[in-house]
Amino acid sequence: CAFQPSPASAINQDHLAYFKFAGRVVGMAIYYKQLLDVQFTSSFFKHMIGEPVDVSDLESIDPDFHRNMLWILNNSVEGMELTFEVVLEQFGQHSQVELIPDGRLLDVTDENKFRYVNLYCALMMTRLIEQQTFSFKEGFHEFIPRHLVSLFSPSELQLLISGLPEIDVEDWKQHTNYSNLTKDDDLSIWLWEIIAEMPHATRALLLQFSTGSSKVPIGGFANLRGSTGIQLFTVSRVEADVSRLPQSSTCFNLLKLPNYPSKEELKDKLMTALSGGMRFDLS
């Protein structure tokens, strides 16, 4: 389970003090080299290091909302009567929030829908939890200065907080499903050969890239969970140009691979993705 501040936390009048305390705990743990069994969402890790969030980060927070945003980006919105004003629900109460001044007066069109999605994502992942995030970081930076934490990527920060997991490659392989290919296809064979050859830290990055967490669940990969419960790791061969990098759907523990023609190309593309290449593609 990945943690993310809730916009509804203000129901507790001391909520900001609690977030500051939580930030101190995490910062202190890093300072004294103590590992924590905790996982934050990718967007919150980005807030911690000062990196901007994007639509792909929605997947670990709200898979349904993430899919809705992708649909808007990939389809025409003409005639949908969307505006730059959105409706939010909290404790059964609904409120209208404008994404820009006078947003209720501006229709969403195919020309400005990218701006609409970016602003909507910023609202959900940044604006609504701005005070909570600030308080957490205020406590966190009491132990870890801003200029030091900014040196890390989100995945590196997670490993710094939680440590490297023990990854049993055979257990991982035995509890894997396949989509549009089999375990005996070249692409599958090459993938597991590459994983077996990986250094320990790189395996952890691949696990995080594919599932949103570098931690192996208690009981092994048979107990890997997704957004709807137990969800085994799945490798899917996708119809995409082989010049593209691998992608993932973390809420489904899904690794998407174009049909690369060789083990060398698969390894090259996978390493590029793990070293900072985008795992999300709008097309």
Side-chain angles (χ1 to χ4, degrees), residues 1-4 26 38-42 44-45 48 136 161 212:
C1 179
F3 294 98
Q4 165 89 358
V26 176
V38 62
Q39 167 67 26
F40 297 113
T41 61
S42 61
F44 196 64
F45 276 123
M48 291 173 70
F136 181 96
I161 293 171

Side-chain angles (χ1 to χ4, degrees), residues 118-132:
N118 286 333
L119 289 170
Y120 205 164
C121 291
L123 173 71
M124 301 301 290
M125 292 187 288
T126 303
R127 285 175 54 190
L128 292 180
I129 59 169
E130 192 168 14
Q131 288 185 316
Q132 295 92 324

Side-chain angles (χ1 to χ4, degrees), residues 21-253:
F21 175 75
R24 285 174 177 155
V25 170
V26 176
M28 184 183 295
I30 294 176
Y31 185 84
Y32 288 106
K33 300 180 181 179
Q34 299 298 309
L35 300 179
L36 296 175
D37 185 13
V38 62
Q39 167 67 26
F40 297 113
T41 61
S42 61
S43 61
F44 196 64
F45 276 123
K46 287 184 175 181
H47 286 316
M48 291 173 70
I49 65 175
E51 185 176 310
V53 299
D54 58 59
V55 66
S56 67
D57 297 308
L58 277 173
E59 190 173 25
S60 62
I61 300 173
D62 188 333
D64 290 333
F65 183 59
H66 175 249
R67 282 193 292 270
N68 291 339
M69 293 298 100
L70 292 190
W71 191 94
I72 289 174
L73 291 174
N74 291 314
N75 295 275
S76 175
V77 297
E78 301 296 343
M80 291 184 63
E81 299 183 356
L82 295 173
T83 69
F84 278 71
E85 179 182 66
V86 298
V87 179
L88 301 180
E89 187 273 334
Q90 190 174 106
F91 301 120
Q93 301 295 316
H94 293 83
S95 59
Q96 285 75 36
V97 177
E98 292 186 323
L99 301 178
I100 58 174
D102 296 324
R104 68 189 184 281
L105 304 177
L106 178 63
D107 291 333
V108 179
T109 67
D110 289 338
E111 286 70 38
N112 64 22
K113 65 181 180 181
F114 286 91
R115 184 187 183 199
Y116 170 79
V117 168
N118 286 333
L119 289 170
Y120 205 164
C121 291
L123 173 71
M124 301 301 290
M125 292 187 288
T126 303
R127 285 175 54 190
L128 292 180
I129 59 169
E130 192 168 14
Q131 288 185 316
Q132 295 92 324
T133 301
F134 178 84
S135 295
F136 181 96
K137 291 171 65 176
E138 191 175 31
F140 181 75
H141 290 313
E142 289 181 8
F143 292 89
I144 308 298
R146 287 177 176 80
H147 71 278
L148 291 182
V149 74
S150 65
L151 299 175
F152 294 93
S153 68
S155 57
E156 290 170 338
L157 183 58
Q158 184 197 339
L159 294 177
L160 187 65
I161 293 171
S162 302
L164 287 172
E166 290 296 328
I167 298 177
D168 185 333
V169 176
E170 282 304 312
D171 179 55
W172 193 355
K173 184 177 179 180
Q174 289 173 13
H175 295 97
T176 291
N177 290 331
Y178 299 88
S179 174
N180 200 30
L181 80 167
T182 72
K183 66 178 181 178
D184 298 317
D185 287 338
D186 286 343
L187 195 64
S188 303
I189 294 171
W190 295 336
L191 175 65
W192 292 111
E193 288 177 350
I194 292 168
I195 292 174
E197 296 164 0
M198 283 178 174
H200 192 52
T202 308
R203 286 182 198 155
L205 288 176
L206 175 61
L207 181 59
Q208 184 185 51
F209 177 86
S210 305
T211 69
S213 173
S214 64
K215 298 182 70 62
V216 179
I218 296 174
F221 284 93
N223 295 319
L224 194 63
R225 300 185 69 84
S227 60
T228 59
I230 297 295
Q231 182 85 51
L232 293 185
F233 176 72
T234 300
V235 180
S236 176
R237 180 168 53 197
V238 296
E239 298 298 327
D241 193 285
V242 293
S243 64
R244 293 193 173 188
L245 298 179
Q247 300 174 41
S248 66
S249 292
T250 55
C251 58
F252 299 111
N253 301 327

